[in-house]
Amino acid sequence: MPSLVSVLVGDVLPRVLTISLLIGAGVGLANVAVEFGVVAFVARAGRVLTEPANLPREVGTAILTNAVSVTAGYGMLAEFREEGLLDDRATLIAVVTNTFFGFVQHIFTYYGPVLVPILGVRVGLLYVGARAGISLAISLVGLVAGAVLLRGYEYDGSDIEPDSPDEGDQTIRETLSDAGVSTLERLRSIVPRLLVVYSLVVVALEYADRILAAFEAVGLDDPTTVVAPLAGVLGLPGAAIPVILVSLVDPTTGAITVAPLVGDALTPEEAVITLLLGSFVSLTIGTVKRSIPFQFGIWGAAFGTKVVVVNVCLKAAFILVTIGVFSIA
């Protein structure tokens, strides 16, 4: 087992530095956009999303940014919340509405170039389409929630408006400097949280053998005892069970495992159901490894918990709905 120091230096620091850079890019982009008055122009393209959800127009910039970088988009939302433009309710709805646009980025970086070639065109497109439908449904929930829960909300965007004319004689260098200072101040509150939470999670995972021993003590030493009944309810053959178990550890490996079974042990639809079930069962692991450290780092523990709970519940609900649709079809 690696030492605690090697775990922190080899796993935690590179991840924290990478995410910090991306958050810094998002917050910095938000500050530069504010300083130069770009927010108002970009936000016009996002009005089709922000107006139905009763969100301020500036949030459209963050939502569209998610299609390029989810971390940068979240960084912009965090900046808007920090500046007082968004309260907790409006921020949660903006986060939910973000979902589909974050998925768009992954189509070009993961689903298209990685999963479709592994799964083949038919199964690959079915699975990517299913995931896209899940993400779109969650975003639509955000739009409806905003339409209902944010009706009549008034937003004060004065804190993120460009400088007044009296202060508008700044040079470009001075404007960028102001944006940089604001970004560094924001990162000072985010990076320590990221470091602490990621350290706790990674160390806990490194000592997971003790956790597994606790499960064994209560008779859960064989994970198939949990997965097999789920597969049976959905009418999946026994060949699906190893795929689901592998997907708990790594979704890509799960796709590699299921691909040779298509057309023989599994139909294309059963293959998609198997992968979706694997992603459903692995929600807990994914939440602990990625979502909790990321969200707690950006929002803090209190509000980060709300974001995690909402995201996980919506994702779990729509994965189950999609599984049901494929099972009936």
Side-chain angles (χ1 to χ4, degrees):
M1 180 177 295
S3 67
L4 181 60
V5 174
S6 65
V7 170
L8 294 177
V9 174
D11 294 337
V12 176
L13 284 180
R15 183 171 301 213
V16 170
L17 288 173
T18 299
I19 293 179
S20 298
L21 287 173
L22 290 171
I23 293 175
V27 174
L29 179 61
N31 284 318
V32 170
V34 168
E35 293 291 340
F36 283 102
V38 176
V39 168
F41 294 100
V42 178
R44 290 173 186 169
R47 289 177 63 182
V48 66
L49 299 168
T50 57
E51 287 187 355
N54 294 315
L55 290 167
R57 61 182 183 176
E58 292 84 357
V59 172
T61 310
I63 292 176
L64 294 177
T65 299
N66 271 266
V68 179
S69 169
V70 174
T71 309
Y74 267 84
M76 294 183 75
L77 282 180
E79 182 69 9
F80 293 152
R81 179 173 177 265
E82 183 74 14
E83 294 294 338
L85 176 67
L86 300 172
D87 62 11
D88 284 0
R89 178 183 295 183
T91 303
L92 274 174
I93 289 173
V95 166
V96 173
T97 307
N98 272 338
T99 305
F100 178 72
F101 295 87
F103 177 82
V104 168
Q105 177 205 2
H106 294 304
I107 290 177
F108 299 101
T109 60
Y110 176 66
Y111 288 102
V114 178
L115 279 192
V116 171
I118 291 174
L119 295 171
V121 175
R122 182 177 178 185
V123 177
L125 292 181
L126 277 175
Y127 183 65
V128 174
R131 301 298 309 204
I134 291 168
S135 298
L136 181 59
I138 293 174
S139 287
L140 291 176
V141 167
L143 291 177
V144 173
V148 175
L149 300 177
L150 299 181
R151 185 177 300 166
Y153 258 49
E154 294 184 2
Y155 300 95
D156 181 10
S158 59
D159 287 336
I160 64 168
E161 292 295 331
D163 292 332
S164 63
D166 291 339
E167 299 173 340
D169 295 330
Q170 287 183 312
T171 64
I172 292 178
R173 177 177 295 180
E174 290 171 338
T175 302
L176 291 175
S177 176
D178 289 344
V181 169
S182 299
T183 301
L184 288 175
E185 290 176 354
R186 182 66 181 141
L187 286 176
R188 285 195 190 102
S189 66
I190 292 176
V191 174
R193 290 200 299 258
L194 274 175
L195 188 60
V196 171
V197 178
Y198 263 114
S199 298
L200 292 175
V201 170
V202 171
V203 169
L205 291 174
E206 285 294 331
Y207 292 89
D209 55 336
R210 299 181 184 180
I211 299 175
L212 293 176
F215 279 108
E216 291 177 2
V218 295
L220 291 178
D221 54 314
D222 184 3
T224 59
T225 59
V226 177
V227 174
L230 294 174
V233 168
L234 296 171
L236 294 173
I241 295 175
V243 178
I244 297 170
L245 294 176
V246 170
S247 298
L248 285 170
V249 181
D250 179 47
T252 305
T253 306
I256 294 172
T257 307
V258 81
L261 303 176
V262 178
D264 183 13
L266 298 171
T267 66
E269 291 74 17
E270 287 174 338
V272 173
I273 293 173
T274 299
L275 292 173
L276 289 173
L277 186 56
S279 67
F280 174 78
V281 176
S282 66
L283 270 177
T284 301
I285 296 175
T287 299
V288 172
K289 289 178 65 176
R290 293 179 293 273
S291 186
I292 288 178
F294 177 69
Q295 303 294 356
F296 278 31
I298 289 182
W299 311 108
F303 187 67
T305 300
K306 296 179 183 179
V307 174
V308 169
V309 169
V310 169
N311 280 339
V312 170
C313 288
L314 286 173
K315 188 177 293 185
F318 281 107
I319 287 176
L320 289 176
V321 169
T322 306
I323 289 174
V325 170
F326 273 92
S327 299
I328 296 172

